[in-house]
Amino acid sequence: MDESVREGFICPICHRELDSLAGLQGHFETAHSKEDKAGLNAVKGLFGRAKRKILGDVLPLQTSNVVAQSDDTSRQRSSSAASGIDPMLWEPQGLGTTRDHLRDFKKLREDNVKRTVIETNKKVIRLEKLYDGLVKNQGEFKSDAKKRKNFEQSVVAWVADNTAVTCPFCEKNFNMRRRKHHCRLCGRIICDKCSEYITLPFAESLTKAAKGESRKAPVGDEMEPDPDADIRSCFACFGLLLRRSQRLQDKYQRPPIVQLYEKMITSMDEAGSLQPRYLAMAESLNAGEHTHSLTAAQDTRHRLIKMFELVDAASKRILAMVQQQQQQQQQQQKGKKGSGAAASVPGVSPRRLHLHKQIRQFASQFLQEHMVSLPGLPDADKLKRLQAERSRAAAEKAQRDREAAERALELKEMEKLSSELQTMSTDSAPQTSPTPASPAKAASPSGWQPKVTPIVSGADIDQDPLLLQRDLLRGYIEQARKANRFDEIQALESSLRDIEMEISRSRR
């Protein structure tokens, strides 16, 4: 027997060397499937325990129930062995050695950004010099191309013609048909097909925006190129200028979602300022008041409804933006499903989709709180009827208040008269009480006094003081008649009539 140490995946039964663990497992199932299954499972269990011990996960020994497995379990294991995965042998692997590359990435990115910014600034400065010279000497350069060439070479040194054999972009050789041209921003030699032309309006807007002289975004380079007037550049320089132009556009032109959101918030603020005024108008008109006009309230309601419509339309467009993009990308991904591509839609992140949905939900809640509970306005006929009813109710209330004031005044006068009569009777009454045998002497010649027994009961007097005044006056009139004081009888009878009228009015 060979005593040398052997490494790798070796079958413990036949000592055959295999390339991988999956190959060893497949060898077990095919070459040793007819042998004793108990022994085969014991070998597999031993291999599994050794693997778990190496991983540091020591588990209890398997019981006899694990050894006695059915034929179905064996078939399942053979099918998983064919795919190279066996849950009996493979366990979840722990996290190994990690390394953070973020610092290296930041450093590389910072260097790349600095290099790109420096190169772009150089191109913008050269473009500004070329633009100023071409505008000042436009007529002279058209008549003399050599002067223009000398001017362009004074801004940027051109690479010598004999140093370039192929185009650096398309890598094709220069010949009689593929002539050499120079980039006016870097001086490299390029072919005509790899050239781009920078129009003068684009150069003007880009240089002014870079210097801060214009707050507008650079105009797009959409004009037809004119080789005799425009500035020739290579793909690399033109790409840097386009990137700078795009950044300036992003700076001075807000994204559509920001514009829609600001429009929605502005409409909400205006609706919030209009709603309290409209609610006061609607409440006043529905109560039949004349404080506000129906036309002004209708105009305010129309403006308020328009603000609500703007809020609803802006929020719907914000949600439709991301939904449209998501649908388009889903349609593009349908063709990739057959090839096993992921079903998730790239480009539309869950966070962005959640943001758009939250904006729409916020607008819907605002509309439910403010628009649904908005009260309506009466029409012209109903407003006239409400105003007439309110005027009639106000007139009735004023009449009731006036009558109550008059009754209070009359009652006060009657109380004053009663007090005066009681004072007069007290002052003119005799010192000794009359005897019952002489009723004719009940009133002295100089005055009178109230009767001892009133006509009404004590309960009625407590309920209405007018009844007491009436009974007192009746007693005074009777005593005045006995005393033959006819001038005072007339005044007392007039007061008695007023009291009786007041009593009858209060009982209606």
Side-chain angles (χ1 to χ4, degrees), residues 51 57 59 64 93 95 127 129 180-181 184 202 281 314 338 347 358 368 380 390 395 402 414 453 457 490 506-507:
K51 182 174 179 294
D57 186 13
L59 299 176
S64 58
Q93 186 176 1
L95 183 63
L127 181 65
K129 293 179 179 179
K180 298 178 181 180
H181 301 277
R184 270 56 172 179
F202 177 72
M281 289 181 174
Q358 287 297 316
Q368 290 177 2
R390 183 176 180 83
R402 189 165 50 252
M414 294 306 299
T453 305
S457 63
Q490 187 176 0
S506 62
R507 289 182 176 179

Side-chain angles (χ1 to χ4, degrees), residues 257-489:
I257 182 176
V258 176
Q259 298 179 11
L260 289 173
Y261 182 76
E262 290 181 353
K263 185 177 181 181
M264 184 185 74
I265 294 299
T266 304
S267 302
M268 285 183 176
D269 294 339
E270 188 172 352
S273 62
L274 285 176
Q275 190 171 11
R277 184 168 59 184
Y278 172 75
L279 292 177
M281 289 181 174
E283 185 179 359
S284 175
L285 292 174
N286 286 319
E289 297 179 355
H290 295 78
T291 308
H292 304 281
S293 65
L294 182 60
T295 305
Q298 289 175 346
D299 293 341
T300 306
R301 179 182 177 85
H302 178 70
R303 289 177 57 192
L304 197 58
I305 294 298
K306 187 176 180 180
M307 293 300 106
F308 290 147
E309 290 177 353
L310 289 176
V311 171
D312 184 58
S315 62
K316 284 182 178 179
R317 286 185 61 186
I318 289 174
L319 182 61
M321 287 172 58
V322 67
Q323 289 181 345
Q324 232 174 9
Q325 185 177 358
Q326 191 178 23
Q327 290 176 0
Q328 292 175 358
Q329 292 176 351
Q330 284 177 351
Q331 291 176 358
Q332 294 176 359
Q333 292 294 320
K334 282 183 179 179
K336 299 180 181 180
K337 288 184 179 180
S339 60
S344 61
V345 180
V348 181
S349 62
R351 186 181 295 274
R352 181 184 173 191
L353 182 62
H354 179 70
L355 174 63
H356 286 241
K357 288 183 178 180
Q358 287 297 316
I359 293 175
R360 174 58 184 166
Q361 185 178 359
F362 170 65
S364 300
Q365 291 178 355
F366 176 82
L367 295 175
Q368 290 177 2
E369 294 175 0
H370 296 81
M371 187 179 69
V372 176
S373 60
L374 202 65
L377 294 173
D379 53 11
D381 297 335
K382 185 177 180 181
L383 180 61
K384 290 181 180 179
R385 187 169 62 254
L386 291 173
Q387 290 177 348
E389 292 177 357
R390 183 176 180 83
S391 300
R392 185 168 56 254
E396 293 176 356
K397 184 177 182 300
Q399 181 65 24
R400 289 194 300 270
D401 294 342
R402 189 165 50 252
E403 292 176 355
E406 291 176 356
R407 286 197 300 270
L409 183 60
E410 291 175 358
L411 181 59
K412 186 176 181 180
E413 291 178 354
M414 294 306 299
E415 290 177 353
K416 182 179 180 182
L417 179 60
S418 174
S419 178
E420 292 177 355
L421 291 176
Q422 288 179 2
T423 304
M424 292 172 60
S425 63
T426 305
D427 294 342
S428 61
Q431 298 297 328
T432 59
S433 299
T435 58
S438 57
K441 299 180 180 178
S444 62
S446 61
W448 56 84
Q449 61 182 1
K451 290 184 177 182
V452 178
T453 305
I455 297 176
V456 295
S457 63
D460 294 336
I461 294 174
D462 294 337
Q463 292 178 1
D464 195 346
L466 295 176
L467 299 177
L468 176 61
Q469 299 294 333
R470 184 191 62 182
D471 295 338
L472 289 174
L473 288 174
R474 286 177 179 177
Y476 296 154
I477 292 172
E478 185 179 353
Q479 294 179 23
R481 284 175 179 171
K482 290 180 181 181
N484 296 324
R485 295 186 178 183
F486 299 104
D487 53 345
E488 296 181 2
I489 291 174

Side-chain angles (χ1 to χ4, degrees), residues 156-211:
V156 179
W158 288 8
V159 177
D161 291 345
N162 56 5
T163 60
V165 179
T166 60
C167 177
F169 296 99
C170 62
E171 297 182 354
K172 294 182 179 179
N173 295 328
F174 292 111
N175 49 38
M176 295 296 294
R177 296 180 58 186
R178 186 173 291 103
R179 298 181 58 190
K180 298 178 181 180
H181 301 277
H182 288 83
C183 174
R184 270 56 172 179
L185 297 178
C186 64
R188 286 190 294 184
I189 299 177
I190 53 178
C191 65
D192 185 65
K193 290 185 178 180
C194 297
S195 300
E196 292 286 350
Y197 290 95
I198 303 174
T199 61
L200 295 182
F202 177 72
E204 179 187 9
S205 61
L206 183 60
T207 53
K208 286 185 177 181
K211 292 189 297 183

